Amino acid sequence: MNQSTGPAEITTRFEEAWNTHDMEAFGRLFHSDATFVNRFATYWRGVDQIVAGHAGIHASIYRDSTLAIDPPDVDPISDDAAILHFWSRLSAGAAHPAGPHQVDTLILAVVTRRDGEWRIQAVENVTLANPMTGATTLRP
């Protein structure tokens, strides 16, 4: 069964898995040998590490968070590979030690189709910050 109809659909599934805090669904977004660099430069290799890293924060500081993802820019590499760039806005809730707040990030994902299924091969997530001060900023 196809996980999606095309590479851009991955962002919809990413947002749904995050907002329902469904780490099983989140794990299905990735190839087993995928990599993920989060916004704090933590590097996970393999879907088990990716899910474990996210499960911890979804059970604690992000348990009441939501994520809004803009439609991605899709740059096809081949019929079975594409690069996605997309903005996300994380809205942390009261469970976060800093209290409710928002964070914008730009995510780069390499997605590939294997056995008819589009999944993520690699992700890098970068927080939007003021380059002069390092202060986290929100885009308009």
Side-chain angles (χ1 to χ4, degrees), residues 20-100:
T20 59
H21 309 283
D22 183 345
M23 293 300 98
E24 189 174 310
F26 192 73
R28 287 193 300 271
L29 295 170
F30 299 89
H31 290 294
S32 63
D33 59 345
T35 59
F36 196 111
V37 178
N38 75 7
R39 67 189 188 97
F40 301 106
T42 302
Y43 174 69
W44 294 303
R45 176 171 283 284
V47 71
D48 292 340
Q49 285 187 7
I50 293 166
V51 169
H54 284 87
I57 59 176
H58 279 270
S60 59
I61 64 171
Y62 289 147
R63 71 178 176 268
D64 57 354
S65 69
T66 58
L67 191 66
I69 296 177
D70 289 355
D73 287 335
V74 179
D75 295 308
I77 298 171
S78 72
D79 290 343
D80 295 318
I83 298 168
L84 307 180
H85 288 93
F86 54 95
W87 287 102
S88 75
R89 176 163 287 171
L90 172 70
S91 295
H96 196 281

